[in-house]
Amino acid sequence: MTGLILALLLAAGVTTPAAAQRSPAGQETPDFGAEAASGEVQAFAARTLATNDHRDLPFVIIDKRAAKVFVFDRRGRITGAAPALLGLAIGDDSVPGIGQRRLATIQPAERTTPAGRYQASLGHDFEQDILWIDYDGALSLHRVIAGNPKDRRAARLASESLLDNRVSYGCINVPAAFYDDVVKPAFTGTVGIVYILPETRPIADVFPALLAR
């Protein structure tokens, strides 16, 4: 994994991943500001910009291993980051047809947050405005909800431990202020790209087109 990360960083012209800079070709490299991010996330953001895979749109990287969401403007400058609640089950694939099923029929092992590249836009569900990641798969990013009181979602989100961030049916829950101040403005009047990084599959298997360029 380390070799792949280094290869991606070199391919994107990154020498200081946390600082904004220009590659010899004039392509901006990602600016994470003061936000901590894994080498894999930094390398992925760099490759996204180097290949213009985000098509000059705002983009989001969701690091499931760290249960953290990073939001960037179209030039790769971070506009905010926050912890997230994710699907209860570890895994990178959705069960076929899960978006058309009632929640009561979804088993614990099926409650995954699938990895992949998605074109996302703002919309609504039955309760609130949300960021639709995959409408057909009923996958979205939204403000943390109360849900079942036994889930203690707000407390889990505020906890510093990563052990309690797995609780949803697959959707990504973020702090309400982060959604209102960062996510919603980033996608207002435009679509954007959401990248959900894998946790069980090789990253090259999930994003072969991006990494092959």
Side-chain angles (χ1 to χ4, degrees), residues 57-58 60 118-125 128-135 139-142 179 183-184 186-194:
L57 294 169
V60 176
Y118 304 89
Q119 181 170 292
S121 60
L122 295 173
H124 290 81
D125 63 7
Q128 62 178 330
D129 57 299
I130 62 177
L131 180 69
W132 277 116
I133 297 174
D134 179 9
Y135 185 84
L139 177 65
S140 67
L141 183 153
H142 54 73
Y179 181 90
V183 177
K184 191 172 183 178
F187 285 83
T188 296
T190 185
V191 298
I193 306 299
V194 173

Side-chain angles (χ1 to χ4, degrees), residues 30-35 69-73 75-81 182:
D31 180 4
F32 280 82
E35 290 294 338
V69 175
F70 302 87
V71 180
F72 299 86
D73 67 14
R75 298 177 66 182
R77 296 173 300 196
I78 197 162
T79 58
V182 178

Side-chain angles (χ1 to χ4, degrees), residues 91-191:
D92 294 314
D93 300 287
S94 285
V95 175
I98 198 166
Q100 287 70 53
R101 289 168 52 185
R102 292 182 294 109
L103 293 183
T105 70
I106 299 175
Q107 300 301 309
E110 298 176 320
R111 292 167 59 175
T112 57
T113 298
R117 179 190 187 277
Y118 304 89
Q119 181 170 292
S121 60
L122 295 173
H124 290 81
D125 63 7
F126 296 110
E127 299 179 350
Q128 62 178 330
D129 57 299
I130 62 177
L131 180 69
W132 277 116
I133 297 174
D134 179 9
Y135 185 84
D136 290 338
L139 177 65
S140 67
L141 183 153
H142 54 73
R143 304 173 189 87
V144 63
I145 61 174
N148 186 330
K150 294 181 179 179
D151 288 345
R152 301 171 41 255
R153 293 198 180 201
R156 288 171 179 267
L157 196 55
S159 168
E160 293 185 4
S161 172
L162 294 178
L163 300 178
D164 57 3
N165 287 63
R166 313 305 293 250
V167 67
S168 81
Y169 280 82
C171 288
I172 298 95
N173 289 205
V174 295
F178 176 74
Y179 181 90
D180 291 334
D181 298 341
V182 178
V183 177
K184 191 172 183 178
F187 285 83
T188 296
T190 185
V191 298

Side-chain angles (χ1 to χ4, degrees), residues 62 64 91-94 112-118 139 194-202 206-207:
I62 298 175
K64 288 199 289 180
D92 294 314
D93 300 287
S94 285
T112 57
T113 298
R117 179 190 187 277
Y118 304 89
L139 177 65
V194 173
Y195 300 97
I196 303 178
L197 302 189
E199 56 189 343
T200 62
R201 297 169 58 191
V206 178
F207 304 100

Side-chain angles (χ1 to χ4, degrees), residues 19-58:
Q21 51 188 306
R22 293 270 182 177
S23 71
Q27 171 65 54
E28 286 196 4
T29 55
D31 180 4
F32 280 82
E35 290 294 338
S38 69
E40 184 174 64
V41 170
Q42 293 176 17
F44 190 88
R47 189 64 177 164
T48 298
L49 291 176
T51 60
N52 194 33
D53 188 78
H54 66 306
R55 301 294 186 265
D56 291 320
L57 294 169

